Amino acid sequence: MAYKSTANGVGRVFPDLKSLLAKASPPRSGDALAGIAAQSAIERVAAQMALADLPLKAFLQVDLVPFEEDEVSRLIHDTHDPVAFAAISHLTVGQFREWLLDARTTTDRLTALAPGVTPEMAAAVSKIMRLQDLIVVGAKCSVLTAFRNRIGLAGRLSTRLQPNHSTDDSRGIAASLLDGLSFGVGDAVIGVNPATDSMQDYVRIVTLLDEIRRRLDIPTQACCLGHVTTAIQAMNLGAPVDLVFQSIAGSEKANRGFGISLSALAEAREAALSLGRGTVGQNVMYFETGQGSALSADAHFGVDQQTMEARAYAVARQFKPLLVNTVVGFIGPEYLYNGKEIIRAGLEDHFCGKLLGLPMGCDVCYTNHAEADQDDMDALLTLLSAAGVTFVIAVPGADDVMLNYQSLAFHDILYVRKALGRRCAPEFEDWLMRTGLVGADGDLIEKAAAGAIAPALAMIESMEAR
């Protein structure tokens, strides 16, 4: 079906829904690389006007990625809730935007709506929203998850402590971990990206993280971000696995490139649940996504990268994760060229994830060959925090020495806690006060860190080099 619109006195025809969505997308280098982006601002506006007039029901009648050959498309179709959708089924995309922004559309109404929204609907409405729109609606969405603490409560911002090491050295990982704890970072998860995906290293890393957590009695969860199949094998060997991690994408073909399927994710989740390691909840999955992942695998089927990203959230939603984050600037400038594109994409991803009912976080980051800098990251962190982002990631000195990219530093978390009053998870906050790392006002106490983490320091001193 073709879609028509007129802008600047010139009529435009968009031959199908894929083309309409791609042409309506705000500028980004990935869509230009794929050859599907609007060729001018006027064409983009014309596409956005046509998209605004499109009934939401149209998204239930078109498969952007063929249903017969894609299990993600089948998942989206099979899990759509028509009862929840009834609240907005009469609306166009433009009217949906107005409904979302309406003060009468409360958190409770958005929570009830989530199962009725498809990823394509979420992506479509985001394309005609300004940044402030994405922030306002994102802030109204509430998604609560739990494992050893509760994540996503109002007024809270959790953090992933990322103590990566270029050779997975245990002492190096532990030192960075304790550095982060001394800044009050790590309530979302203490998560290490391993330099290798060997079973031996995976088990060693999760055992190390668990030992430090238990010695300090920290109410948080740990994760080694190895492949899901490695995690399954490690659990079968009795390794102390809290969360199972996996990168995911918005098509079956792209997920095959990651070496996964929906059935493999289901198997991993059941294995993790069987361990019963959570104390206040049993959300055991952790997913990462990123605009451009499907395109980089030649698995986008001519669909724009932001819509493909939103489709990945359908995969995540199926497995009730504790955490999901977009690695927004990590995939590179081929997909998000500069700070402006990264900022826009980060807010889009957060909005779409939250609207679909996910505990959405963001790795506020960029690669060294992107046209971006830490000022851009300051801006994105601030905007995401205003939007109620579930969690962000922090690394020593904002410079990940293993993955070779720039993220947030531990002190950036102190900034946003102070400037916007965002507190950490309540159980973790209580632990920080009990150990003497922070005072009743939430501020760090000078010279308190060494005593608070003394048991773990003694453990590091007794370690041999890996």
Side-chain angles (χ1 to χ4, degrees):
M1 176 181 176
Y3 306 89
K4 301 177 182 179
S5 181
T6 299
N8 201 34
V10 178
R12 308 272 178 169
V13 178
F14 306 97
D16 53 31
L17 188 53
K18 286 184 188 180
S19 174
L20 180 64
L21 288 167
K23 303 297 185 186
S25 294
R28 63 208 60 206
S29 53
D31 290 340
L33 178 66
I36 59 175
Q39 297 301 300
S40 68
I42 293 175
E43 184 181 26
R44 182 173 300 107
V45 168
Q48 290 172 339
M49 291 170 63
L51 182 61
D53 290 337
L54 184 68
L56 290 175
K57 288 181 179 178
F59 292 97
L60 302 178
Q61 301 163 359
V62 178
D63 295 321
L64 296 181
V65 180
F67 181 93
E68 298 77 11
E69 61 185 83
D70 187 81
E71 66 176 0
V72 178
S73 291
R74 294 193 293 274
L75 176 69
I76 293 169
H77 176 273
D78 293 345
T79 57
H80 180 252
D81 185 342
V83 176
F85 179 61
I88 58 169
S89 61
H90 59 291
L91 301 178
T92 65
V93 173
Q95 290 168 335
F96 185 33
R97 172 186 174 272
E98 297 302 317
W99 185 90
L100 289 169
L101 292 169
D102 195 312
R104 293 168 294 183
T105 301
T106 61
T107 296
D108 288 344
R109 294 182 74 184
L110 289 169
T111 300
L113 175 68
V117 179
T118 69
E120 292 84 356
M121 293 175 193
V125 73
S126 75
K127 296 178 192 300
I128 60 170
M129 297 174 80
R130 292 174 56 184
L131 296 189
Q132 64 179 258
D133 300 339
L134 299 172
I135 292 168
V136 166
V137 179
K140 290 200 288 185
C141 295
S142 175
V143 182
L144 306 180
T145 58
F147 190 76
R148 287 196 187 91
N149 55 31
R150 291 166 293 163
I151 295 173
L153 294 167
R156 307 276 177 168
L157 169 66
S158 292
T159 52
R160 170 183 162 191
L161 200 173
Q162 185 168 296
N164 292 346
H165 191 276
S166 56
T167 65
D168 287 340
D169 179 74
S170 294
R171 291 184 299 178
I173 291 170
S176 293
L177 190 164
L178 298 181
D179 184 21
L181 287 177
S182 71
F183 282 86
V185 172
D187 57 323
V189 64
I190 300 171
V192 173
N193 297 87
T196 74
D197 206 32
S198 76
M199 177 59 61
Q200 180 181 0
D201 282 348
Y202 185 100
V203 172
R204 176 175 56 83
I205 290 170
V206 294
T207 302
L208 168 68
L209 299 181
D210 191 59
E211 177 68 12
I212 293 175
R213 181 193 63 78
R214 288 189 296 107
R215 285 197 180 215
L216 298 180
D217 193 26
I218 312 170
T220 191
Q221 36 284 331
C223 183
C224 179
L225 281 71
H227 194 267
V228 65
T229 55
T230 307
I232 292 172
Q233 295 175 50
M235 286 186 282
N236 290 337
L237 293 173
V241 175
D242 288 344
L243 305 182
V244 174
F245 168 83
Q246 184 55 52
S247 295
I248 56 174
S251 72
E252 179 179 345
K253 183 179 178 182
N255 284 327
R256 282 201 306 268
F258 286 137
I260 62 165
S261 63
L262 298 181
S263 61
L265 296 176
E267 178 186 355
R269 179 172 181 267
E270 287 305 312
L273 285 171
S274 71
L275 300 180
R277 292 177 60 82
T279 55
V280 297
Q282 291 296 327
N283 297 110
V284 296
M285 302 299 286
Y286 174 22
F287 296 118
E288 281 191 339
T289 66
Q291 289 194 30
S293 58
L295 175 58
S296 67
D298 192 24
H300 65 297
F301 296 85
V303 180
D304 68 275
Q305 68 181 37
Q306 191 250 335
T307 300
M308 289 303 296
E309 168 73 1
R311 284 171 55 90
Y313 304 156
V315 176
R317 182 166 63 174
Q318 177 69 5
F319 299 102
K320 299 177 175 59
L322 180 76
L323 303 166
V324 181
N325 71 261
T326 169
V327 289
V328 63
F330 179 74
I331 302 180
E334 299 83 0
Y335 307 97
L336 295 169
Y337 179 71
N338 57 23
K340 183 173 182 177
E341 292 186 10
I342 290 170
I343 290 169
R344 169 85 198 186
L347 291 166
E348 288 171 346
D349 294 350
H350 176 258
F351 162 82
C352 289
K354 282 287 185 66
L355 188 61
L356 292 166
L358 289 176
M360 200 68 196
C362 183
D363 191 355
V364 178
C365 65
Y366 64 100
T367 57
N368 287 313
H369 59 309
E371 289 293 325
D373 57 28
Q374 290 301 138
D375 283 344
D376 296 313
M377 300 306 101
D378 287 349
L380 180 53
L381 172 62
T382 305
L383 294 172
L384 282 169
S385 298
V389 68
T390 301
F391 75 105
V392 294
I393 295 175
V395 306
D399 185 6
D400 191 298
V401 297
M402 196 281 282
L403 294 173
N404 293 309
Y405 78 113
Q406 308 302 306
S407 185
L408 298 177
F410 300 142
H411 67 263
D412 294 325
I413 307 306
L414 299 183
Y415 145 70
V416 80
R417 294 211 187 286
K418 198 70 174 177
L420 296 181
R422 293 294 188 261
R423 298 157 61 188
C424 58
E427 297 83 358
F428 193 81
E429 185 176 61
D430 290 345
W431 175 79
L432 290 173
M433 287 191 283
R434 286 199 313 271
T435 55
L437 282 168
V438 303
D441 58 1
D443 289 346
L444 292 177
I445 296 174
E446 272 191 71
K447 300 180 181 179
I453 60 179
L457 286 172
M459 187 183 85
I460 295 176
E461 290 170 356
S462 68
M463 283 182 185
E464 296 181 1
R466 173 180 176 272

